Amino acid sequence: GNKIRNAKLVLLGDVGAGKSSLVLRFVKGQFVEFQESTIGAAFFSQTLAVNDETVKFEIWDTAGQERYHSLAPMYYRGAAAAIVVYDISNQASFTRAKKWVQELQAQGNQNTVVALAGNKADLVETRQVQIEEAKTYAQENGLFFMETSAKTATNVNDIFYEIAKRLLQG
Ligand code: GTP
Ligand code: MG
């Protein structure tokens, strides 16, 4: 039988890391060079078929600007999954991502599937965060890790698909 499983998913990460761009790529297959900074949060939904099951993601795309930080718990509490996003060409965004992981581990739900996305993987020439560094960090903290590019679409469907698989297993 074809079951539909609803899954609340939240994106967290520094301003400009590419959260909205990842969602736009996943939901609409689009990319814009001048994506506007998110105010508060934005909601999207998208379904994904995994074998004979369907996951319906209810996606909260949060704002990275610090002034919206206090809103974040509303979105990550009760989330089945979280994607913590940084920009591989921006070391400070990786530091910020680790802070989000800490906050999720301290204040979030133990069962939330957490993915770490090293976005803007197309910007290899200005890379500041090495893959090995992120991979090791992810392993040590029980996250799964992928480098993504909202611009080229690399690994965007894949990261959502991997989350969906883990949700269905769990
Ligand atoms: P806030 O909403 O302010 O928290 O930012 P955000 O994390 O949603 O970032 P957003 O998606 O708005 O992207 C910021 C900028 O980075 C935009 O100009 C995007 O076009 C660009 N961008 C996003 N993803 C990629 C990517 O994979 N590669 C490249 N080269 N640029 C990207
Ligand atoms: Mg945004």
Side-chain angles (χ1 to χ4, degrees):
N2 207 329
K3 283 186 292 184
I4 295 186
R5 177 92 66 99
N6 289 339
K8 180 178 166 186
L9 180 149
V10 63
L11 287 101
L12 300 167
D14 207 356
V15 61
K19 300 175 294 299
S20 299
S21 298
L22 286 170
V23 175
L24 185 67
R25 172 60 77 187
F26 176 57
V27 173
K28 296 188 178 154
Q30 296 170 358
F31 175 77
V32 291
E33 290 284 348
F34 302 101
Q35 177 66 44
E36 281 176 28
S37 190
T38 304
I39 295 170
F43 179 79
F44 300 85
S45 85
Q46 176 68 302
T47 59
L48 199 57
V50 179
N51 303 321
D52 65 344
E53 294 187 86
T54 300
V55 174
K56 184 180 180 202
F57 284 115
E58 294 156 352
I59 302 169
W60 286 102
D61 170 24
T62 66
Q65 290 180 47
E66 197 46 41
R67 73 177 98 146
Y68 299 115
H69 188 166
S70 63
L71 300 178
M74 285 200 309
Y75 302 107
Y76 64 68
R77 286 203 192 113
I83 305 179
V84 177
V85 184
Y86 68 92
D87 167 357
I88 71 151
S89 70
N90 180 338
Q91 188 71 46
S93 75
F94 186 57
T95 302
R96 188 71 192 89
K98 292 184 194 170
K99 292 258 166 60
W100 277 120
V101 171
Q102 275 177 8
E103 180 169 336
L104 277 175
Q105 288 174 345
Q107 320 279 341
N109 178 340
Q110 296 291 318
N111 300 323
T112 303
V113 170
V114 183
L116 179 66
N119 190 44
K120 309 196 188 183
D122 56 291
L123 298 182
V124 276
E125 308 219 320
T126 51
R127 175 190 290 280
Q128 289 185 352
V129 183
Q130 299 306 316
I131 295 185
E132 280 311 315
E133 183 185 0
K135 217 184 251 176
T136 303
Y137 173 76
Q139 271 165 9
E140 287 171 356
N141 288 275
L143 324 171
F144 84 87
F145 167 67
M146 280 189 189
E147 285 198 348
T148 59
S149 170
K151 184 170 183 172
T152 65
T154 304
N155 276 348
V156 177
N157 284 346
D158 310 65
I159 199 165
F160 284 92
Y161 189 81
E162 187 60 35
I163 290 168
K165 275 203 318 197
R166 284 169 195 241
L167 291 174
L168 292 170
Q169 281 161 9

